[in-house]
């Protein structure tokens, strides 16, 4: 598994890449990324984001970019379990797997996606589909 993030500071940018065979190590890397001092003057950019949005560092990052990526992914695959969406978030975005449930919950509240089963805890086996 690999992940990369572009660090942007004062118009200068550097790509940081991380490779590991372990999902646990990749999650730890991303936890460290988002724990950086938010006042350090550094912002992040997802190298795979075609629009190149800059992201402020925060323990609870703005959900908009991940929301767009999850909707695009669901638009491609049709539906996916929460476990699959967490894996996608971890391996294909700069976000942590733990950010997935928060964003999926917001998408459900906004009516952008549906879930099966319709009620209950948002556990790993719940299937999320685009409306």
């Amino acid at each position: 598994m690999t992940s990369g993030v572009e660090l942007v500071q004062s118009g200068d940018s550097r790509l940081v890449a991380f490779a590991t065979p372990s999902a646990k190590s990749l999650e730890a890397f991303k936890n460290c990324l988002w724990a950086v001092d938010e006042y350090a003057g550094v912002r992040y950019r997802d190298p795979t984001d075609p629009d190149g949005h800059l992201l402020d560092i925060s323990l609870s990052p703005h959900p908009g970019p991940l929301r767009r990526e999850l909707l695009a992914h669901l638009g491609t695959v049709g539906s996916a379990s929460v476990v699959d969406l967490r894996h996608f978030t971890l391996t294909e975005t700069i976000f942590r797997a733990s950010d997935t449930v928060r964003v999926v919950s917001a998408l459900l509240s906004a009516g952008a996606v549906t879930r099966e089963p319709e009620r209950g805890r948002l556990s790993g086996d719940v299937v999320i589909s685009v409306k």
Side-chain angles (χ1 to χ4, degrees):
M1 287 178 247
T2 62
S3 183
V5 64
E6 194 174 347
L7 305 177
V8 181
Q9 181 178 22
S10 302
D12 187 29
S13 67
R14 297 183 191 272
L15 183 64
V16 175
F18 183 78
T20 180
S22 165
K24 190 174 186 176
S25 294
L26 184 55
E27 187 71 27
F29 168 72
K30 290 187 175 188
N31 282 334
C32 288
L33 274 179
W34 289 105
V36 169
D37 182 4
E38 63 187 274
Y39 300 107
V42 177
R43 296 176 81 191
Y44 294 149
R45 182 176 10 238
D46 186 341
T48 63
D49 181 359
D51 297 326
H53 292 102
L54 287 174
L55 302 169
D56 292 323
I57 297 171
S58 170
L59 288 176
S60 295
H62 188 278
L66 181 55
R67 181 181 299 138
R68 285 189 296 275
E69 293 198 43
L70 288 174
L71 283 173
H73 177 66
L74 286 168
T76 301
V77 299
S79 63
S81 70
V82 171
V83 165
D84 292 337
L85 293 176
R86 287 175 56 88
H87 181 76
F88 170 80
T89 299
L90 180 64
T91 60
E92 302 297 325
T93 75
I94 66 171
F95 294 93
R96 301 162 292 201
S98 59
D99 296 320
T100 307
V101 171
R102 178 173 59 100
V103 172
V104 168
S105 294
L107 288 169
L108 285 164
S109 294
V113 296
T114 60
R115 60 174 277 173
E116 183 60 41
E118 290 183 26
R119 302 221 186 278
R121 195 170 80 89
L122 196 57
S123 61
D125 59 344
V126 172
V127 175
I128 305 297
S129 303
V130 177
K131 272 191 155 179

